[in-house]
Amino acid sequence: MKKKALFNWSSGKDSALALYKTLQNPEIEIASLLTSVNQEHQRISMHGVRVELLKQQAESIGLPLEIMQIPEMPTMEVYENVMRETLEKQKNQGVTHSIFGDIFLEDLRKYREDKLAEIGFEGIFPLWKIPTHDLIQEFISLGFKTIVVCVNERFLDKSFVGRVIDQSFINELPENVDVCGENGEFHTFTFDGPIFSKPINFEIGEVVYRKYEKPEKEDSSDTACDTSASDAFDFGFWYCDLVEK
């Protein structure tokens, strides 16, 4: 019997490669893609990509899309309540597993698995512990194309945002930056590759800088929510807007 799973879709490269690998697995049935969206701005959490482009991705992939609306600056309690409600609905439809594109962050995986266990779900991690240099080369060799939509100024400057990831981009990354951005150095939007029936059409728009207020009390699990709350740091981000054609 197949495992019926929800796929946590960020719109970026790690999600795309994890989905590609999952689709090759005959033991898993993907019920839908789940993406958290900033309720106020209608953009993908952390990545800042417009919902219109997210919907184009889902249509091209050929899977149902479940959008989880999150307040702009949610507390962890708010985020976890929304996620619990979403997963409970999926559970009622026979879903038992949740798939993530995480690679090596142990604390994040433990957080996810602990929260999933509370409602009887299990996590699946198709990319887990695969060296990131191997993953990015596999991603490119498979014909995927992805553009950097957000960079963390602690690691990268403005010149890296709005660039398509290729060998030149990889070669120019500083030594302290993971090639897959697994530590939150950068985020991407994948617009072509073997999981898509057609490329996603967009134009590159404005590049903007945004800095978020640092929360009074930090929570080490903030990165687990992948929402704009986890943007609440004392440093800023460069975003490249993508506009639907």
Side-chain angles (χ1 to χ4, degrees):
M1 184 175 177
K2 287 188 176 183
K3 301 173 183 176
K4 192 171 184 181
L6 183 67
F7 191 95
N8 292 270
W9 177 256
S10 72
S11 81
K13 59 178 175 38
D14 299 336
S15 277
L17 187 55
L19 178 58
Y20 173 82
K21 289 179 178 295
T22 302
L23 291 172
Q24 314 306 309
N25 189 339
E27 298 180 358
I28 300 175
E29 174 191 349
I30 300 177
S32 61
L33 306 175
L34 174 66
T35 306
S36 61
V37 166
N38 182 306
Q39 192 170 30
E40 180 177 348
H41 301 290
Q42 289 302 293
R43 291 174 181 264
I44 299 172
S45 301
M46 291 297 292
H47 293 228
V49 174
R50 297 169 185 256
V51 167
E52 293 82 5
L53 292 176
L54 168 64
K55 291 179 178 178
Q56 274 198 43
Q57 281 185 323
E59 180 181 354
S60 183
I61 292 169
L63 286 170
L65 175 64
E66 175 90 12
I67 293 178
M68 190 170 70
Q69 300 284 352
I70 303 292
E72 183 170 15
M73 296 296 288
T75 62
M76 285 302 295
E77 181 181 5
V78 168
Y79 170 80
E80 289 172 357
N81 286 339
V82 174
M83 177 61 81
R84 177 181 287 274
E85 290 175 6
T86 301
L87 293 184
E88 289 287 1
K89 291 178 183 177
Q90 294 290 322
K91 185 177 181 179
N92 292 336
Q93 297 172 19
V95 175
T96 56
H97 291 70
S98 191
I99 306 172
F100 301 90
D102 301 321
I103 304 172
F104 59 69
L105 298 179
E106 299 278 0
D107 289 349
L108 179 54
R109 175 167 178 165
K110 184 179 186 308
Y111 170 84
R112 297 199 196 282
E113 290 180 325
D114 288 349
K115 291 300 176 182
L116 290 173
E118 290 177 4
I119 55 173
F121 269 53
E122 291 183 38
I124 298 174
F125 301 82
L127 308 183
W128 191 248
K129 294 299 185 179
I130 300 175
T132 51
H133 281 87
D134 294 346
L135 287 174
I136 197 65
Q137 293 301 330
E138 180 181 8
F139 180 84
I140 293 172
S141 67
L142 285 169
F144 279 108
K145 295 180 181 178
T146 196
I147 184 170
V148 177
V149 291
C150 171
V151 300
N152 183 327
E153 70 171 351
R154 288 191 305 166
F155 302 98
L156 297 169
D157 61 39
K158 180 182 178 181
S159 67
F160 284 90
V161 76
R163 290 179 58 180
V164 171
I165 292 184
D166 55 14
Q167 198 59 50
S168 175
F169 177 91
I170 295 168
N171 293 341
E172 291 176 32
L173 288 175
E175 289 185 5
N176 66 325
V177 173
D178 180 74
V179 292
C180 285
E182 178 70 348
N183 297 304
E185 298 97 328
F186 60 91
H187 299 290
T188 60
F189 175 79
T190 302
F191 58 91
D192 199 5
I195 61 173
F196 297 106
S197 62
K198 61 181 179 180
I200 312 304
N201 292 317
F202 63 89
E203 295 177 340
I204 296 178
E206 185 181 8
V207 173
V208 299
Y209 176 81
R210 188 172 182 186
K211 191 170 184 177
Y212 301 83
E213 293 183 5
K214 189 173 182 178
E216 294 182 6
K217 181 180 179 182
E218 294 184 28
D219 188 328
S220 62
S221 62
D222 276 352
T223 54
C225 68
D226 290 336
T227 69
S228 54
S230 53
D231 275 346
F233 303 115
D234 57 349
F235 45 85
F237 298 80
W238 287 102
Y239 289 92
C240 176
D241 191 20
L242 303 182
V243 183
E244 184 180 23
K245 275 190 177 181

